[in-house]
Amino acid sequence: MNEASAAPAAERRTSLPGNVVRGALIGIVETVPGVSGGTVALVVGIYHQLIRSASLVVSAGRALITGPRPDDPASTRRAAAGVHLRDVDWRVIIPVLIGMPVGLFGAVQLLSPAVETYPELTRAAFFGMVLASIAVPVRMAGRLALKHWLAGAAAAVVTWVLVSLPPTSASPSWWIILPAAAVAVSALLLPGLSGSFLLLTFGLYEPTMAAARDFDLGYLGVFALGMVLGVVSIVKGLRWLLMHHHTFTMVVLAGVMLGALRTLWPWQTAGRELLGPADNLGAVLALGAAGFIIVAILVLIDTRLTRQQKRAEVR
């Protein structure tokens, strides 16, 4: 079975302007610690197209380097790469790649001051968003057995422990930025993981936000290279997991999202020690509820659109 024939049947057609907007939304949430760009891609209905197309691009690059496989009818490296590139969903990829930097750099200009000035209120909004987003991988997982519940619970516990560790104070040198970016880009590939949250763990969230805000091309160039390396090294394994262990992958992602809520508790010290509610409890609850409602509406819309598409396919 080739990669084109392995595409999920649940993919639905999307418009070019709509995909630019979807890309902008993914770019915006990539600036939000705890909210995954992969989750947004799931909610707006382009996640599988992105993963499949990224996998095809990686296969094309590999064909250019190593040549066609022995069972591949293509006679040259260029022809072998062209076979993969023709199956890429460019109607999704190109508009998303246009919209993402627009959303990301626009959000950085607005979000960076808010995170620094109102950390408790912004974490509250992010907490509500992530909490509602857990429904996405749970719904996609389908029917769950006991082993799936245990896997999800284990993922939640491990994530809770990891995010409880005090953040590092790493100096933003290129040999730190490069691997950190390679790991953080997994947020675009794995619903439930937040690239900004991973940067927080490495101690690189604020330096990266500042570099994006100030258009520090040196920093951003190293970061972009790390992202490319991450996509090349992660995308194939992720696609294999989704194709062969879909339910386990989704329940583990849901567990990761649940455990990651610990880092978004509004009241905590710089060393991630949890504190009790403060005088701003009312505002925190309001913003948390608003974040939850916004994402819940998106999830409901996606659920309805998916059901309509399945009915249309049956007819």
Side-chain angles (χ1 to χ4, degrees):
M1 179 184 295
N2 59 32
E3 292 179 277
S5 63
E11 294 178 5
R12 62 170 183 267
R13 297 286 293 178
T14 53
S15 67
L16 294 176
N19 288 334
V20 174
V21 174
R22 290 177 177 89
L25 289 174
I26 293 172
I28 290 171
V29 302
E30 279 304 305
T31 66
V32 179
V35 182
S36 167
T39 297
V40 173
L42 272 174
V43 171
V44 299
I46 60 173
Y47 177 73
H48 286 292
Q49 291 97 315
L50 291 178
I51 293 297
R52 173 176 170 273
S53 294
S55 179
L56 287 165
V57 170
V58 172
S59 296
R62 183 178 60 190
L64 283 174
I65 296 172
T66 63
R69 299 191 310 268
D71 60 341
D72 195 329
S75 58
T76 65
R77 297 185 180 189
R78 179 179 294 183
V83 170
H84 297 293
L85 291 177
R86 282 193 293 272
D87 287 330
V88 173
D89 196 341
W90 296 111
R91 282 180 52 88
V92 173
I93 297 299
I94 292 177
V96 166
L97 290 179
I98 293 173
M100 278 184 62
V102 174
L104 190 149
F105 285 105
V108 163
Q109 305 302 321
L110 298 175
L111 184 61
S112 182
V115 171
E116 295 174 1
T117 308
Y118 307 104
E120 294 176 351
L121 297 181
T122 51
R123 279 198 295 265
F126 301 158
F127 188 100
M129 292 177 181
V130 175
L131 183 62
S133 298
I134 295 174
V136 177
V138 170
R139 176 171 60 86
M140 294 187 67
R143 182 171 298 179
L144 303 180
L146 177 60
K147 60 183 180 181
H148 300 128
W149 287 102
L150 293 176
V157 171
V158 170
T159 304
W160 179 281
V161 172
L162 291 177
V163 301
S164 300
L165 300 175
T168 66
S169 56
S171 175
S173 302
W174 71 266
W175 59 85
I176 296 174
I177 299 170
L178 198 70
V183 174
V185 76
S186 62
L188 291 175
L189 307 175
L190 290 171
L193 285 181
S194 164
S196 293
F197 160 70
L198 294 174
L199 291 177
L200 271 174
T201 303
F202 291 119
L204 293 178
Y205 178 72
E206 291 186 7
T208 304
M209 292 283 282
R213 184 184 62 229
D214 302 333
F215 295 99
D216 183 342
L217 296 182
Y219 187 108
L220 296 177
V222 174
F223 196 90
L225 178 59
M227 291 179 66
V228 172
L229 294 175
V231 169
V232 171
S233 60
I234 293 173
V235 66
K236 283 293 185 180
L238 175 60
R239 180 162 175 79
W240 185 87
L241 285 174
L242 289 174
M243 296 302 299
H244 298 280
H245 301 283
H246 182 270
T247 300
F248 263 110
T249 302
M250 287 300 165
V251 296
V252 168
L253 292 177
V256 169
M257 295 172 71
L258 183 62
L261 287 174
R262 192 241 186 246
T263 197
L264 295 174
W265 178 253
W267 303 281
Q268 55 183 286
T269 66
R272 294 184 183 167
E273 179 184 355
L274 300 184
L275 304 174
D279 295 336
N280 58 354
L281 177 60
V284 164
L285 290 176
L287 284 172
F292 184 94
I293 291 171
I294 290 172
V295 174
I297 290 173
L298 292 174
V299 172
L300 290 174
I301 291 173
D302 182 67
T303 302
R304 177 169 295 183
L305 291 174
T306 300
R307 288 176 179 172
Q308 290 176 351
Q309 181 185 20
K310 288 181 178 179
R311 293 195 193 101
E313 290 174 352
V314 171
R315 295 172 185 172

